[in-house]
Amino acid sequence: MNRLDHRDPLVFDTHELGRRPGSLRKVSRTLEAPAELGVADVIGVPEKSEITLELRLESVVEGVLVTGTAEAHVTGECSRCLEPVEDDLEVAFQELYYYPESEERHRAVAGDDFDEESEDETYRLEGDLFDLQPVLRDAVVLALPLQPVCQDDCLGLCSECGARLSDDPAHHHDAADPRWAALQGLSAAPGDEGDEE
């Protein structure tokens, strides 16, 4: 029984492709972005914004090789000055979705050498369906900057008052050196000089 919903725009059907190695099918699809496609609270593809997918599905002996690109608009905020950041992103990806029976065959051939951990990292077809969402999410997240900036030479914010330094590069505060703070109270008040005789 399949747990994938064929109505989900990120679930693709390979039935028409067939299982003859070398069979090829191209798919173009424009869809709404799923939630949390990016780095949380930093930068990502806004939910329900448009993503354009260009896919090439190729039947191979072990399964279906999916090669494609995704284009989307990303938004976030500058990690230095917190100003909004926007950009267009294009990512490429490739993943092999294994036929269910190819896993059983691999287990039988590998015997004691079968690696459960690496097997968990593989993607499998469910019947004729595959879910592109985890592959798309990985490709987008890896392509996004972890510390986006509004411009390469962004100076950030003033640590004293929070002013944006790129707007006023000469911005500064006169601050007393804390190492001399204890001596400030020792100076004589104005007009006290020469009062004692």
Side-chain angles (χ1 to χ4, degrees):
M1 183 171 178
N2 292 340
R3 60 183 178 84
L4 294 179
D5 182 358
H6 69 278
R7 294 168 296 190
D8 184 327
L10 284 168
V11 170
F12 292 82
D13 191 343
T14 64
H15 179 73
E16 291 180 20
L17 181 65
R19 289 197 172 194
R20 191 175 48 126
S23 297
L24 182 69
R25 184 170 162 234
K26 292 186 178 182
V27 179
S28 297
R29 189 175 287 180
T30 300
L31 51 98
E32 290 184 350
E36 300 172 11
L37 189 58
V39 181
D41 300 325
V42 179
I43 191 167
V45 180
E47 185 175 0
K48 298 193 176 185
S49 66
E50 193 173 273
I51 296 181
T52 303
L53 297 173
E54 295 291 333
L55 303 178
R56 177 184 153 149
L57 313 180
E58 186 176 0
S59 181
V60 295
V61 174
E62 299 89 0
V64 175
L65 181 65
V66 178
T67 307
T69 60
E71 293 180 23
H73 188 72
V74 296
T75 61
E77 61 182 33
C78 178
S79 61
R80 295 182 190 161
C81 71
L82 307 179
E83 286 292 307
V85 173
E86 293 189 24
D87 199 6
D88 290 320
L89 179 73
E90 181 173 346
V91 294
F93 49 86
Q94 185 174 61
E95 191 62 56
L96 177 61
Y97 288 84
Y98 288 90
Y99 296 129
E101 64 273 14
S102 67
E103 177 188 348
E104 294 164 13
R105 193 173 358 174
H106 181 64
R107 278 181 191 267
V109 170
D112 293 338
D113 295 332
F114 184 75
D115 184 2
E116 289 281 348
E117 192 172 304
S118 64
E119 192 63 23
D120 289 340
E121 297 171 7
T122 61
Y123 295 98
R124 293 173 193 79
L125 289 167
E126 292 189 20
D128 292 324
L129 304 176
F130 70 87
D131 184 4
L132 189 66
Q133 185 164 329
V135 172
L136 178 63
R137 187 178 309 283
D138 288 350
V140 169
V141 169
L142 289 173
L144 291 172
L146 290 177
Q147 295 183 330
V149 290
C150 58
Q151 54 194 39
D152 290 338
D153 60 349
C154 177
L155 299 173
L157 301 176
C158 173
S159 60
E160 295 285 323
C161 67
R164 187 168 184 258
L165 297 176
S166 294
D167 294 339
D168 182 12
H171 178 85
H172 73 284
H173 295 272
D174 292 329
D177 189 331
R179 295 172 292 183
W180 297 102
L183 299 177
Q184 284 180 340
L186 297 178
S187 65
D192 286 350
E193 299 86 18
D195 285 352
E196 294 182 20
E197 293 192 18

